[in-house]
Amino acid sequence: EVRITKGIKSVTVKTEDGMIEVKRNPDTKNTINPAFAKTSRKCPPFCIQPQQVAPGVKTVGELEVVNFIKDGGALIDARTVEWHVRGTIPSSKNIPFTEVASRLDELGCSKDSYDKWDCGAAKTVMLFCNGLWCGQSPTAIRAMLREGYPAEKILYYRNGMQGWESVGLTVVEGAM
């Protein structure tokens, strides 16, 4: 039997389209989505990203993502809309890396009287993009930090969709 871990067969998460069961694909002959099978891309822009994207930002793996979404955490797909709609992690919200600095109000920040972000009530968020070679979520994280988002409230899922799909976890069509 294909399970997430020895003790976890699946988790159910709330999405805009209702409840979704996140589990691994039970087909032991399943292979990775061809969009994520390519190992070499021109760098730049597709350069291998650092393990620690910025001081104070914690990097996480698949099990941490599963637990985060199971607990209702704010999972941010920092990829472009085109990538998001092709397939994403259940419960993720698309805030493209090019827009995140202007949409921090969706993450608990507010503008102060000087038109600067006040992130005193910021949510803990987890950002991801396409994988180890994708710079979209690292760019988004750096923009958030520049605008005053607290580093300790940001988690970075470095393996992104490539990692998620490589272990056969549930993928859903992204909402527009």
Side-chain angles (χ1 to χ4, degrees):
E1 183 177 21
V2 178
R3 304 172 70 85
I4 293 174
T5 68
K6 185 177 177 182
I8 302 171
K9 182 176 180 179
S10 68
V11 299
T12 302
V13 299
K14 184 177 180 180
T15 72
E16 290 181 1
D17 297 322
M19 302 304 280
I20 297 282
E21 183 182 21
V22 175
K23 59 185 179 182
R24 290 181 66 204
N25 185 322
D27 179 359
T28 58
K29 293 186 169 118
N30 185 55
T31 60
I32 192 166
N33 177 334
F36 298 107
K38 190 173 184 181
T39 62
S40 300
R41 292 167 176 82
K42 186 178 179 187
C43 171
F46 304 107
C47 303
I48 296 173
Q49 299 301 307
Q51 181 70 16
Q52 184 177 22
V53 71
V57 174
K58 182 179 177 186
T59 302
V60 299
E62 289 72 25
L63 291 178
E64 290 82 7
V65 178
V66 167
N67 287 320
F68 189 76
I69 63 175
K70 177 183 72 164
D71 294 339
L75 182 64
I76 307 302
D77 183 341
R79 300 175 302 156
T80 62
V81 172
E82 296 79 18
W83 274 103
H84 176 74
V85 297
R86 287 169 55 180
T88 192
I89 298 171
S91 81
S92 70
K93 174 184 179 96
N94 184 225
I95 303 180
F97 73 104
T98 56
E99 299 176 15
V100 73
S102 64
R103 293 176 59 182
L104 294 180
D105 56 319
E106 297 174 43
L107 306 177
C109 300
S110 59
K111 290 277 186 157
D112 65 18
S113 58
Y114 300 103
D115 206 33
K116 300 284 183 195
W117 287 111
D118 174 358
C119 293
K123 298 176 185 177
T124 297
V125 296
M126 182 181 290
L127 284 84
F128 71 93
C129 53
N130 279 323
L132 307 171
W133 44 267
C134 181
Q136 293 176 82
S137 55
T139 298
I141 290 168
R142 287 189 288 275
M144 292 170 72
L145 294 169
R146 182 189 69 234
E147 296 297 322
Y149 210 92
E152 66 275 7
K153 297 267 187 165
I154 303 173
L155 302 167
Y156 170 44
Y157 175 39
R158 182 176 179 252
N159 294 340
M161 288 305 298
Q162 187 174 40
W164 189 259
E165 291 213 19
S166 75
V167 293
L169 288 163
T170 302
V171 173
V172 295
E173 185 177 298
M176 294 200 41

